[in-house]
Amino acid sequence: MAVPTAPAPAGRRGNGGWTFPDLVVEVSGPLACFTRPELKVERVSYPVMTPSAAVGVLEAIFWKPEMAYVITAIEVLKPIEWTQVRRNEVKSVVSATEVAALRKDPGRRYDVENDRDQRNSMLLRDVHYRIRAQILRAPHAADVPEQKYRDQLRRRVDKGACFAEPYLGCREFTASFGPQTDTRPIDRDEELGVMLHSIVYPASGGEQYRWFHAQLHQGVMPVPVAPLGADKVAMPASSAWRADGSGTGR
């Protein structure tokens, strides 16, 4: 599928140049971990939900190949609090090739005890966010009214229905979701630095990370449509690690 790109909505009317008001979904949970991709082994969360994680939550609720979500802002509705967890994990990820080899040879075994490692995770606890988003239609769906997708998302949020269980960064941290409430964002201004904007999966394989300069203003983190240029952020060239640490989150 050709994923819709997100050009600046120049020439459009309404909220920030968009035709329609933002779609609003609130998510919460006891634990969350939006892993910083520059920290390879120990999981350390960003202090605020990343736009890519917010897209994952919305796609778990409602997704169609004819559309894509553009996050415009994330509001923090509860104070930022941290907790640490030390867990036993495996050091490697079993590849599809290894799975095929295990199925083919009954005598072949994967010894989890020899691959086990103890790792520390810095997590967020008792989180509550308000996601603001817009919808972009794919080129092949340009004749489909945007309101159709917006209404479908709203109905699913109101009913509490979803295609998959939404999660907060890692799959073990499930999220509750619902429509907008009257909860106000926290009173906090903070410079968050460079944050993960989105992850692109090119046809050639691998992952490409895109970034933006994140700031919290009175509990609200605006998200630009366009990420920083590739020449603005230096990252390791190796693709042996993933942004989620082990393929379990965004």
Side-chain angles (χ1 to χ4, degrees), residues 81-151:
E81 298 182 353
W82 299 88
T83 187
Q84 292 189 60
V85 175
R86 185 173 291 274
R87 300 183 293 182
N88 290 328
E89 301 181 5
V90 294
K91 293 180 286 187
S92 60
V93 178
V94 179
S95 65
T97 303
E98 180 66 16
V99 171
L102 289 168
R103 290 177 175 175
K104 185 176 181 180
D105 182 5
R108 190 183 182 118
R109 292 288 184 270
Y110 167 68
D111 191 348
V112 67
E113 294 301 328
N114 290 334
D115 198 30
R116 196 179 299 281
D117 193 14
Q118 195 172 68
R119 294 176 180 171
N120 188 63
S121 298
M122 182 67 73
L123 313 176
L124 297 166
R125 63 184 179 90
D126 195 20
V127 299
H128 190 182
Y129 302 107
R130 181 177 294 134
I131 302 171
R132 295 189 175 274
Q134 292 285 341
I135 285 178
L136 281 179
R137 289 165 293 172
H140 66 277
D143 58 339
V144 179
E146 184 177 332
Q147 299 93 313
K148 172 183 176 180
Y149 302 126
R150 296 172 63 89
D151 290 342

Side-chain angles (χ1 to χ4, degrees), residues 28-32 127 165-177:
S28 60
L31 291 172
V127 299
E165 186 73 34
Y167 56 91
L168 297 166
C170 295
R171 292 191 185 275
E172 59 263 41
F173 304 141
T174 57
S176 301
F177 65 91

